[in-house]
Amino acid sequence: MSDPVKHSVLCVRFDTSCADCGDPNSQPVQPEEALQRLRAGDAWAALAVSGHDTHELTTWAMRLRHQPSGWLPGVVALLPDVAAPGALAALRAGVDAVLLQGSTAPLIRAQLARLRERVAPQPDGWMVLDDTLALQEQTRQLRVGTQSVELAPQLFHLLWSLAAQRGHVMSPQALRLAMDIPARAHPDTVHTAVGRLRRALRPHGLDVRLQTVHGVGYRWARTEDAGPFAMPD
């Protein structure tokens, strides 16, 4: 028997609630399983459904946030009263947003989209890496001096995400989200994409800039303190 399809967003219902999360695209799981999957990057966000007593929710959220990995998935709490003290307690415990139980699926997905943009900003416009390198979102090209390298969408998102955080290590979990890789995809998908990107960069001598930090993730090495800014048309 094959494993069930996994979802990138989990629905966690605590004992104090009898309501559902209202999002058909999320996967119902128990709180402990949700903690494990979110910590491992097997899912990037959770819808946490609680009753008026939010103690179980707040304890769960604090356990999720206090992890040495630095990976912070998004959490939206669905509560019967968003103006009650329990809502504030949930936010203080690390929940990113609270919505009223019974919120429509489009409203929930819109909130998740805002969280996704915060965790993994999507390509937009130009990003200049240094005097000879720039990324252009519209054409998905890497400009190398007077030459252009067109990249597949997934590879472009990978390079954009790394370049936006150049000099800093990005975890495979964060890169999975940036590349919009579904939870059911093979665990080595990021590693495979990094290899493909290195091959595309090798003819230009740029593959050495894409570094592997074993056991942690990947980074784009910078030559100088160059930051992204808007390139004129």
Side-chain angles (χ1 to χ4, degrees):
M1 181 177 179
S2 60
D3 293 333
V5 173
K6 294 182 178 180
H7 292 242
S8 297
V9 177
L10 307 178
C11 177
V12 186
R13 196 176 81 179
F14 295 94
D15 291 339
T16 58
S17 175
C18 59
D20 293 323
C21 67
D23 177 35
N25 293 321
S26 60
Q27 181 180 13
V29 295
Q30 294 298 314
E32 286 301 318
E33 180 184 349
L35 279 178
Q36 295 173 9
R37 290 182 54 180
L38 291 167
R39 289 168 177 170
D42 193 30
W44 75 270
L47 300 171
V49 188
S50 174
H52 288 281
D53 182 359
T54 60
H55 177 73
E56 188 180 8
L57 165 63
T58 56
T59 300
W60 180 89
M62 287 188 289
R63 290 176 60 196
L64 176 64
R65 294 308 187 197
H66 288 82
Q67 294 300 312
S69 65
W71 166 242
L72 296 177
V75 178
V76 178
L78 296 170
L79 305 176
D81 185 355
V82 297
L88 179 59
L91 291 169
R92 287 175 173 171
V95 166
D96 296 284
V98 294
L99 291 177
L100 187 66
Q101 285 178 9
S103 295
T104 63
L107 177 60
I108 294 172
R109 301 309 294 184
Q111 182 62 62
L112 289 172
R114 285 192 287 270
L115 288 180
R116 186 182 189 281
E117 181 65 25
R118 185 204 67 189
V119 176
Q122 297 301 291
D124 183 24
W126 284 87
M127 182 190 299
V128 177
L129 308 185
D130 56 36
D131 292 340
T132 61
L133 295 176
L135 287 167
Q136 184 184 20
E137 176 267 334
Q138 186 174 8
T139 60
R140 295 198 305 270
Q141 290 180 342
L142 170 65
R143 299 287 184 88
V144 186
T146 59
Q147 298 179 311
S148 296
V149 181
E150 187 170 346
L151 299 171
Q154 190 180 72
L155 299 188
F156 184 84
H157 279 72
L158 171 60
L159 181 54
W160 182 284
S161 300
L162 289 167
Q165 301 290 332
R166 52 191 174 280
H168 299 279
V169 180
M170 291 192 70
S171 68
Q173 296 94 329
L175 291 173
R176 286 176 70 94
L177 176 58
M179 291 189 287
D180 200 21
I181 297 174
R184 61 182 178 274
H186 194 278
D188 289 337
T189 301
V190 172
H191 177 73
T192 301
V194 168
R196 290 170 55 206
L197 180 57
R198 282 200 178 108
R199 288 192 291 273
L201 297 173
R202 190 166 295 131
H204 305 277
L206 296 172
D207 53 306
V208 295
R209 299 279 296 274
L210 181 48
Q211 300 177 344
T212 300
V213 181
H214 294 287
V216 182
Y218 304 91
R219 70 179 165 211
W220 180 260
R222 60 187 181 189
T223 54
E224 301 291 342
D225 291 329
F229 60 90
M231 175 179 282
D233 294 333

